[in-house]
C-alpha cells in the first residue's frame, strides 16, 4: 500500500537492535512475490521460528462441482443468520476457481481462542454487517460495517466481533490483492482515482504481548488447517515497518465516477488480483444524457465470469434477489436487464444500491456448500414476464 511503521525499529535494517536485557530482537522479513514484491520488517522478542508443536493437519476446504451446467446462478443467502460456530468453521465457500474463492461467514462465536494465518492466500473481508477489532502482529485495526479488510497472506491475526448482526463476505486470492494499477503513478501513489491513501486505514495501535503459555495458531495451506503451538504470544513485536500490512478501506469512501451515458463496470473497480477484479457499486447519480438509458445493456462476457453480491439498495424489488443474494453470470451466455426494466429505468436520477462485484477471468465452479442456496427459477427469469421484474442498476 504505502510505507508505514508502528513501534520501535532500529535506524538501519539488518543491524543490531537490542532488548533491555542486552539480547537481540529477532528480525523477520515478511516479503511477497519472493523478494520482489512489497515487504515489511518485523522485530520480535522471541524467534518466530521457535514452535512448541506442529499437530496433525485437519482437512479444511470446499468441494467444487465441476459438472454444474452452464446457466446463470442466484444464491440466496439472505435468511442465513449463522453459517457455523466460529470464524473458520463458519466460512462457507460458495464459488471458486484456482485464482480466488468467494465465501460467506456468519459465526455464532464472536471471539477466537486461537490465532489464524492464511499461508497461501490474501483475504479480503467485506463487512456487510458487523463491527469489531482485528488484532494482528501489525497492531489493532478497527473493523466497521462497509469495510473491506485486506489481509496479506501470512499475517497472524484474530478478529473479535461485537454482539449484533454479523455477515462477512470473504474473497480469498491465490495472488496478492492490490489497488488498481491504472489508479497509480509509476511510483505507486494513487492518482485522481475513486479513492486515495487518506481513505486507507492502517493498523493504529501496536500490541506487544510478552506473556508465555500455550498459543495456538491455525495455519491454512493446501486444503488443510495446520495447528501450530507456540510457548509465547505471536503478538510479541516491538515494532515493524514496510509496505505489507493489513488495512481497511470503507466502501462508503469509494467515490463513484458518473457520466452522460452508462459507465462500464471498470469505473467501479476497487482492487485487482491475478485473473480477477473486485468492484464497488455505490450510491450515485445516473447518466444525464437527455436520451440516456440508466439500465445496463445486454452483455455477453467473452472471457469472464461475473459475480455480484447485493448488499443494500432497491434490488429487493426484484423477484428473488434480496439483501445477501449472489448472482453468477458466467461467460459464454448473455445476461442483462429483466423484461420491462429498460423502459422503466428511463428518467431515473440516482441509485442507492450498494453491491460488490467479483469478475474472474477464468470460470468459477459452485461448491457443494452452495447447493442449498441455489434459486432454481433464476435461469429462466428473463423469459418469465409474469412476475414483474424491477431491476435497473446492476451491470
Ligand atoms: Fe455484465
Amino acid at each position: 500500500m504505502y510505507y508505514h511503521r508502528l513501534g520501535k525499529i532500529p535506524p538501519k535494517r539488518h543491524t543490531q537492535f537490542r532488548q533491555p536485557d542486552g539480547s537481540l530482537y529477532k528480525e523477520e522479513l515478511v516479503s511477497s512475490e519472493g523478494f520482489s514484491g512489497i515487504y515489511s520488517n518485523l522485530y520480535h522478542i522471541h524467534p518466530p521460528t521457535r514452535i512448541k508443536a506442529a499437530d496433525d493437519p485437519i482437512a479444511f476446504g470446499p468441494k467444487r462441482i465441476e459438472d454444474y451446467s452452464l446457466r446463470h446462478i442466484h444464491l440466496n443467502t439472505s435468511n442465513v443468520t449463522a453459517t457455523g460456530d466460529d470464524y473458520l468453521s463458519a466460512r462457507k465457500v460458495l464459488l471458486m476457481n484456482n485464482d480466488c474463492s468467494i465465501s460467506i461467514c456468519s459465526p455464532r462465536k464472536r471471539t477466537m481462542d486461537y490465532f489464524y494465518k492464511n499461508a497461501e492466500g490474501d483475504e479480503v473481508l467485506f463487512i456487510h454487517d458487523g463491527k469489531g477489532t482485528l488484532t494482528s502482529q501489525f497492531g489493532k485495526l478497527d473493523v466497521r460495517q462497509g469495510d473491506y479488510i485486506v489481509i496479506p497472506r501470512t499475517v497472524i491475526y484474530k478478529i473479535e466481533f461485537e454482539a449484533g448482526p454479523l455477515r462477512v463476505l470473504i474473497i480469498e486470492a491465490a495472488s496478492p490483492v492490490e489497488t488498481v494499477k491504472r489508479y497509480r503513478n509509476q511510483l505507486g501513489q494513487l492518482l485522481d482515482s475513486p479513492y486515495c491513501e487518506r481513505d486507507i486505514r492502517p493498523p493504529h495501535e501496536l500490541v506487544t504481548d510478552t506473556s508465555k503459555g500455550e498459543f495456538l495458531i491455525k495455519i491454512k495451506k493446501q486444503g488443510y488447517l495446520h495447528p501450530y503451538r507456540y510457548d509465547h504470544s505471536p503478538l510479541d513485536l516491538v515494532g515493524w515497518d514496510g509496505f505489507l500490512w493489513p488495512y481497511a478501506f470503507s466502501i462508503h469512501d469509494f467515490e463513484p465516477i458518473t457520466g452522460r451515458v452508462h459507465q462500464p463496470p471498470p469505473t467501479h473497480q476497487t482492487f485487482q488480483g491475478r485473473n480477477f477484479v473486485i468492484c464497488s457499486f455505490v450510491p450515485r447519480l445516473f447518466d444525464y444524457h437527455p436520451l440516456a438509458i440508466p439500465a445496463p445493456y445486454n452483455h455477453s462476457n467473452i472471457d469472464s465470469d461475473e459475480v455480484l453480491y447485493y448488499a443494500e439498495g432497491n434490488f429487493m424489488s426484484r423477484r428473488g434477489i434480496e439483501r445477501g443474494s449472489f448472482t453468477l453470470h458466467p461467460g459464454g451466455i448473455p445476461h442483462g436487464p429483466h423484461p420491462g426494466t429498460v423502459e422503466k429505468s428511463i428518467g431515473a436520477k440516482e441509485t442507492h444500491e450498494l453491491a460488490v462485484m467479483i469478475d474472474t477471468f477464468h470460470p468459477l465452479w459452485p461448491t457443494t456448500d452452495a447447493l442449498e442456496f441455489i434459486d432454481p427459477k433464476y435461469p429462466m427469469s428473463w423469459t418469465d414476464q409474469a412476475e414483474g421484474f424491477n431491476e435497473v442498476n446492476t451491470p
Side-chain angles (χ1 to χ4, degrees), residues 8 16-27 43-47 50 208 210 236-238:
K8 296 185 299 181
Q16 295 177 38
F17 180 36
R18 293 195 179 274
Q19 307 193 34
D21 67 1
S23 65
L24 289 167
Y25 286 112
K26 282 67 181 178
E27 183 180 13
Y43 294 90
H44 296 267
I45 294 171
H46 305 288
R50 193 179 78 195
T208 304
T210 59
D236 69 335
L237 274 70
V238 294

Side-chain angles (χ1 to χ4, degrees), residues 299 301 306 335 395:
H299 173 208
N301 297 0
E306 183 181 298
H335 62 276

Side-chain angles (χ1 to χ4, degrees), residues 22 72 85 89 109 113 148 169 367 390:
H72 297 311
D85 195 39
S89 62
K109 279 188 193 168
D113 55 8
Y148 291 105
L169 167 69
T367 67
N390 193 29

Side-chain angles (χ1 to χ4, degrees), residues 70-122:
L70 177 62
R71 62 177 71 181
H72 297 311
I73 294 176
H74 168 213
L75 304 173
N76 189 342
T77 68
S78 59
N79 293 322
V80 172
T81 53
T83 53
D85 195 39
D86 77 351
Y87 182 61
L88 292 183
S89 62
R91 289 174 171 224
K92 299 296 177 197
V93 177
L94 304 177
L95 301 164
M96 63 180 296
N97 65 18
N98 293 328
D99 300 311
C100 64
S101 69
I102 300 165
S103 313
I104 53 167
C105 180
S106 296
R108 289 185 197 89
K109 279 188 193 168
R110 301 310 169 91
T111 58
M112 297 166 67
D113 55 8
Y114 58 89
F115 290 91
Y116 171 57
K117 167 158 88 168
N118 190 330
E120 60 186 353
D122 284 22

Side-chain angles (χ1 to χ4, degrees), residues 118-331:
N118 190 330
E120 60 186 353
D122 284 22
E123 293 184 353
V124 180
L125 316 181
F126 174 69
I127 310 298
H128 190 182
D129 286 316
K131 184 180 179 189
T133 305
L134 181 148
T135 305
S136 76
Q137 296 178 304
F138 295 83
K140 288 187 175 181
L141 181 62
D142 290 339
V143 173
R144 306 167 186 164
Q145 185 177 36
D147 277 350
Y148 291 105
I149 306 292
V150 181
I151 308 168
R153 69 203 60 203
T154 213
V155 171
I156 297 173
Y157 73 96
K158 61 170 62 175
I159 291 190
E160 294 189 346
F161 290 103
E162 297 178 8
L166 179 56
R167 171 182 281 268
V168 182
L169 167 69
I170 301 177
I171 301 148
E172 182 181 335
S175 60
V177 173
E178 302 167 334
T179 56
V180 183
K181 188 176 180 184
R182 67 176 184 281
Y183 293 169
R184 291 184 254 128
N185 65 21
Q186 61 178 342
L187 295 180
Q189 187 173 14
L190 288 162
L191 296 166
D192 194 14
S193 51
Y195 59 92
C196 74
E197 286 82 358
R198 291 187 199 180
D199 300 313
I200 304 299
R201 306 201 317 270
H204 60 85
E205 180 187 338
L206 189 68
V207 177
T208 304
D209 182 1
T210 59
S211 61
K212 305 273 279 188
E214 184 164 288
F215 296 85
L216 173 62
I217 302 173
K218 297 183 180 182
I219 302 175
K220 179 179 181 294
K221 189 160 187 179
Q222 293 186 302
Y224 289 88
L225 287 176
H226 304 265
Y228 267 53
R229 297 178 194 281
Y230 286 66
D231 68 0
H232 63 271
S233 170
L235 306 181
D236 69 335
L237 274 70
V238 294
W240 62 268
D241 77 333
F243 279 60
L244 190 149
W245 31 271
Y247 64 88
F249 167 66
S250 173
I251 195 169
H252 305 302
D253 286 327
F254 187 90
E255 298 299 333
I257 296 168
T258 59
R260 268 166 58 88
V261 296
H262 193 84
Q263 296 296 295
T267 58
H268 306 277
Q269 191 177 348
T270 312
F271 300 109
Q272 65 182 31
R274 188 190 65 218
N275 296 326
F276 77 95
V277 297
I278 300 174
C279 300
S280 303
F281 289 84
V282 301
R284 63 192 182 280
L285 297 177
F286 271 141
D287 326 315
Y288 49 87
H289 186 286
L291 297 177
I293 299 176
Y297 29 79
N298 293 304
H299 173 208
S300 276
N301 297 0
I302 294 293
D303 51 14
S304 68
D305 279 14
E306 183 181 298
V307 177
L308 267 159
Y309 178 75
Y310 300 82
E312 314 288 348
N314 55 7
F315 50 79
M316 285 176 277
S317 57
R318 181 187 194 181
R319 184 183 69 171
I321 299 296
E322 298 184 50
R323 187 180 190 273
S325 280
F326 292 84
T327 55
L328 165 61
H329 298 142

